[in-house]
Amino acid sequence: MRVMTDVCREQGVYSTGSYATPAATPPADLPTSMADRNKLRGMAGRPAPRIRPGVCFPWEEKAKQLPAMTGDPAMVRRVWEDIDGLGNMFIWQCLLSF
């Protein structure tokens, strides 16, 4: 994948010369003292996401749509979450690969 990307960057330039070499992103500035670093909030204070990471469609929402189960609900939930996790992984791979 890396070689293909490098070849496309080298050989895949439009003849109009509209391609510009990407500029390096500078590192983020962090305070040098530990006291100042401890004051950084990061993700603290932000609301929790509605859907937890790694999930496309939560089991709790899907279970409300299903009829009453006669079998093992824990097994159905496990299978649902496993397949849903694969869907989430596929989406991330598509986003990150292209």
Side-chain angles (χ1 to χ4, degrees):
M1 183 62 84
R2 182 68 172 176
V3 171
M4 181 182 77
T5 304
D6 291 341
V7 168
C8 288
R9 284 185 174 168
E10 291 174 17
Q11 305 297 326
V13 179
Y14 291 111
S15 60
T16 60
S18 62
Y19 173 77
T21 304
T25 305
D29 292 330
L30 287 176
T32 54
S33 72
M34 287 307 290
D36 289 339
R37 286 187 183 195
N38 290 334
K39 292 179 186 175
L40 296 175
R41 290 184 38 196
M43 296 297 289
R46 295 185 183 263
R50 187 177 64 84
I51 298 175
R52 65 185 182 276
V55 174
C56 292
F57 197 86
W59 167 252
E60 294 77 20
E61 291 181 24
K62 184 63 179 175
K64 293 175 187 174
Q65 299 173 354
L66 297 174
M69 289 181 230
T70 58
D72 183 10
M75 181 186 72
V76 176
R77 178 183 183 140
R78 181 181 51 82
V79 170
W80 174 265
E81 289 177 346
D82 288 347
I83 293 173
D84 186 71
L86 292 172
N88 184 274
M89 181 65 69
F90 176 75
I91 292 169
W92 271 108
Q93 288 299 317
C94 287
L95 289 172
L96 296 175
S97 297
F98 303 107

